[in-house]
Amino acid sequence: MTSSETTESLKPLENFEPVEIEPQTPLQGSQIQGWKHPVLLSHEQLLSECKARRQKTSGPGGQHRNKVETGVFLKHSPTGVEAQATERRSQAENQSKALKRLRLQLALEIRSQQSALGAPSPLWKSRVREQKIVVSDEHFDFPILLSEALDVLAENAWEPHRAALQLDCSTSQLIKLLKKFPPAFVLLNQQRARRGLEKWK
């Protein structure tokens, strides 16, 4: 699988509907007590909740990639959300990238009303200065903030102005945060289109 195919797999599906999960809600036949959004877990904790599959991959990287199972495919067992990385020659590097992609995909796909009602969180407040959201899209906190932003948007009928008001940031900063992970911005417009609302650009 090529790098472009990996990126493509992270885009929201057409007519994608986020999954809403709350504490003590049945999920794949089990009760999750004291559930919290998986983006809040450390990499180690998140990996412990995943089923991992490794396999040989084709594409750039030379003969080494064809002989060694360097590709890493992760499935988060409680939610069913998946991510993968195959472009690196090292299995360890692919696992690290797959985990980062999984956190982003969990932020994109899993909604929490509890998170929205408690927003802005202490972490969010620590990252907002004069209505500006200060975070790199490579930082560990980014998927957490993205998840919270999407939770609040969902609770505010995908109206960025209302969500930004609750999150104490400017609307432009909220949109900028979503655009740092393009599938999140696509999701915003998909949800607005389903409600007959004008798309953001």
Side-chain angles (χ1 to χ4, degrees), residues 6 10 83-85 87 97-105:
T6 301
L10 294 178
Q84 64 190 45
E87 66 268 33
K97 291 189 75 68
L99 271 171
K100 289 180 180 179
R101 288 172 178 163
L102 181 62
R103 282 166 52 78
L104 286 167
Q105 200 66 16

Side-chain angles (χ1 to χ4, degrees), residues 7-26:
T7 303
E8 189 74 19
S9 69
L10 294 178
K11 293 182 179 179
L13 300 175
E14 187 175 354
N15 298 321
F16 168 74
E17 184 66 39
V19 177
E20 183 175 303
I21 302 175
E22 292 305 326
Q24 302 182 31
T25 297

Side-chain angles (χ1 to χ4, degrees), residues 3-199:
S3 177
S4 62
E5 287 174 326
T6 301
T7 303
E8 189 74 19
S9 69
L10 294 178
K11 293 182 179 179
L13 300 175
E14 187 175 354
N15 298 321
F16 168 74
E17 184 66 39
V19 177
E20 183 175 303
I21 302 175
E22 292 305 326
Q24 302 182 31
T25 297
L27 186 62
Q28 296 188 355
S30 64
Q31 291 282 338
I32 298 186
Q33 303 295 327
W35 183 91
K36 64 179 180 180
H37 201 294
V39 295
L40 297 171
L41 301 176
S42 68
H43 286 324
E44 293 76 14
Q45 291 171 323
L46 183 57
L47 186 61
S48 73
E49 294 189 352
C50 292
K51 291 181 180 179
R53 178 168 56 88
R54 294 165 178 82
Q55 70 178 44
K56 296 178 183 178
T57 55
S58 60
Q63 292 182 345
H64 178 73
R65 285 192 60 182
N66 295 325
K67 294 179 179 178
V68 182
E69 295 181 340
T70 56
V72 177
F73 300 77
L74 298 177
K75 181 175 183 179
H76 185 237
S77 297
T79 62
V81 175
E82 299 178 331
Q84 64 190 45
T86 62
E87 66 268 33
R88 301 286 182 165
R89 296 179 64 174
S90 161
Q91 187 180 98
E93 288 179 324
N94 278 332
Q95 178 172 289
S96 178
K97 291 189 75 68
L99 271 171
K100 289 180 180 179
R101 288 172 178 163
L102 181 62
R103 282 166 52 78
L104 286 167
Q105 200 66 16
L106 285 163
L108 182 73
E109 294 191 30
I110 306 301
R111 299 278 61 80
S112 170
Q113 184 181 46
Q114 183 179 7
S115 168
L117 295 177
S121 67
L123 175 62
W124 184 278
K125 291 177 181 178
S126 74
R127 287 288 184 168
V128 175
R129 298 163 194 168
E130 297 181 352
Q131 294 200 316
K132 183 177 180 180
I133 306 168
V134 182
V135 66
S136 163
D137 57 0
E138 293 295 322
H139 196 278
F140 180 85
D141 290 346
F142 178 73
I144 302 174
L145 299 173
L146 180 65
S147 174
E148 184 169 345
L150 291 170
D151 287 342
V152 173
L153 279 162
E155 282 299 299
N156 283 278
W158 300 93
E159 289 286 3
H161 292 303
R162 287 163 50 185
L165 185 63
Q166 180 178 343
L167 290 167
D168 195 29
C169 65
S170 68
T171 304
S172 63
Q173 280 289 301
L174 180 57
I175 296 298
K176 184 178 180 180
L177 180 74
L178 300 185
K179 286 185 174 181
K180 285 184 176 182
F181 183 53
F185 186 66
V186 171
L187 176 61
L188 168 67
N189 279 327
Q190 285 179 343
Q191 293 298 320
R192 288 181 63 81
R194 293 184 65 173
R195 292 161 174 78
L197 301 172
E198 184 178 355
K199 289 187 177 182

